């Protein structure tokens, strides 16, 4: 399967813990996006990479969130000192200039 | 500000009925892109279509068709002869040009949950 993959698919953590998610994009795509989706809502943009450069960050991305794409391939999204409000589906998408293809998401539950 | 409105929260139809999902968008740009995605119960967003603001031709793909009208800022999606497998949440999204003129991040509506009953 050459689609976008995300790991883990599910994560349960206690409030205050740090978590890290990984996204592996489609290999030929140089653009990578992170979105967050809460129940009953559409996905909301968090941040965008072109190759290894992080070019855009949403105001939703608080100081507790950091994303990297060190070699322009896979990306990681870390949340420090998790809060219950961070519970959501975290979606990664990769794309060419005109389309974005989404991975299956990582569902985070903060207890 | 950019915004996408999907006024229909939930729609329920019986198999073989036609159904139209509405999407209204707001943007100040003259160049933009519109998308529809399907999110089945499994959760993964599936890309269905992209249109750019300069192409108002309607598009048909099998049982799916899309009607883009700039005059009313609408990009509606019709499923003809619906099937149970069409049951999903459908999202309309808007993107404005990013670096180099290609599409930027997506702004999604809240989605319309379609239930097709046998």
């Amino acid at each position: 399967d050459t689609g976008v993959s995300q790991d883990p698919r599910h994560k349960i953590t206690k409030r205050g813990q740090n978590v890290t998610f990984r996204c592996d994009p489609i290999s030929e795509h140089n653009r990578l996006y992170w979105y967050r989706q809460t129940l009953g809502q559409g996905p909301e943009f968090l941040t965008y990479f072109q190759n290894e450069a992080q070019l855009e960050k949403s105001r939703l991305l608080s100081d507790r969130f950091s994303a990297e794409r060190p070699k322009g391939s896979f990306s990681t999204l870390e949340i420090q000192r998790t809060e219950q409000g961070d519970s959501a589906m975290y979606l990664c998408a990769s794309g060419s200039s005109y389309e974005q293809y989404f991975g299956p998401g990582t569902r985070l539950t903060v207890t | 500000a950019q915004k996408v409105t999907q006024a229909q929260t939930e729609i329920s139809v019986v198999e073989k009925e036609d159904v139209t999902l509405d999407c209204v968008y707001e943007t100040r740009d003259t160049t933009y892109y519109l998308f529809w995605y399907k999110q089945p119960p499994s959760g993964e967003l599936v890309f269905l279509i992209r249109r750019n603001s300069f192409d108002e031709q309607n598009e048909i793909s099998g049982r799916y068709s899309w009607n883009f009208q700039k005059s009313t800022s609408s990009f509606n999606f019709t499923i003809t002869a619906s099937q149970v497998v069409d049951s999903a949440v459908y999202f309309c999204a808007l993107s404005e040009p990013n670096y180099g003129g290609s599409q930027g991040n997506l702004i999604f509506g809240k989605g319309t949950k379609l239930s097709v009953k046998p």
Side-chain angles (χ1 to χ4, degrees):
Chain A
D1 190 331
T2 57
V4 179
S5 61
Q6 292 186 246
D7 184 69
R9 295 291 306 276
H10 298 92
K11 178 72 177 179
I12 300 174
T13 191
K14 292 187 177 179
R15 189 175 53 190
Q17 299 293 305
N18 299 344
V19 293
T20 300
F21 311 140
R22 176 178 170 127
C23 170
D24 286 271
I26 295 169
S27 57
E28 60 265 30
H29 288 168
N30 62 357
R31 293 163 181 246
L32 189 148
Y33 303 80
W34 285 98
Y35 292 82
R36 181 173 69 185
Q37 185 179 20
T38 53
L39 202 61
Q41 302 295 315
E44 295 174 294
F45 169 72
L46 292 178
T47 191
Y48 155 63
F49 289 86
Q50 183 156 331
N51 299 312
E52 66 274 12
Q54 188 173 19
L55 296 183
E56 194 171 347
K57 289 196 288 188
S58 162
R59 56 184 169 79
L60 290 177
L61 210 68
S62 76
D63 292 344
R64 297 184 297 106
F65 287 68
S66 62
E68 293 183 343
R69 194 181 182 198
K71 296 182 180 178
S73 55
F74 73 91
S75 175
T76 57
L77 177 68
E78 181 183 16
I79 308 175
Q80 296 183 326
R81 305 181 303 282
T82 51
E83 300 173 356
Q84 286 190 318
D86 297 332
S87 295
M89 176 77 86
Y90 290 84
L91 297 164
C92 174
S94 74
S96 59
S97 297
Y98 299 102
E99 285 151 9
Q100 293 181 32
Y101 296 92
F102 284 80
T106 295
R107 183 168 293 284
L108 173 66
T109 301
V110 182
T111 61
Chain B
Q2 308 150 34
K3 186 179 177 182
V4 175
T5 301
Q6 294 180 256
Q8 305 149 309
T9 307
E10 291 193 42
I11 299 176
S12 182
V13 298
V14 176
E15 211 171 16
K16 297 185 184 177
E17 284 185 17
D18 299 347
V19 58
T20 295
L21 309 181
D22 297 333
C23 173
V24 173
Y25 62 91
E26 294 176 31
T27 178
R28 283 177 286 192
D29 272 282
T30 55
T31 301
Y32 50 89
Y33 304 91
L34 296 164
F35 302 79
W36 276 94
Y37 283 84
K38 174 181 180 180
Q39 190 171 42
S42 60
E44 190 160 342
L45 280 161
V46 177
F47 169 81
L48 296 178
I49 190 172
R50 172 186 61 86
R51 304 297 283 176
N52 71 51
S53 52
F54 298 111
D55 184 0
E56 286 193 73
Q57 274 196 328
N58 292 332
E59 181 149 342
I60 298 174
S61 176
R63 297 182 298 105
Y64 295 171
S65 63
W66 290 270
N67 181 271
F68 176 28
Q69 291 197 330
K70 286 179 79 169
S71 61
T72 55
S73 297
S74 65
F75 186 43
N76 296 336
F77 173 30
T78 297
I79 302 174
T80 302
S82 59
Q83 300 176 0
V84 173
V85 293
D86 295 327
S87 296
V89 180
Y90 290 86
F91 290 98
C92 180
L94 165 72
S95 172
E96 293 182 348
N98 204 330
Y99 309 94
S102 55
Q103 59 108 2
N105 58 278
L106 297 171
I107 297 146
F108 285 84
K110 293 189 175 183
T112 297
K113 182 177 180 181
L114 174 65
S115 298
V116 181
K117 303 194 184 307

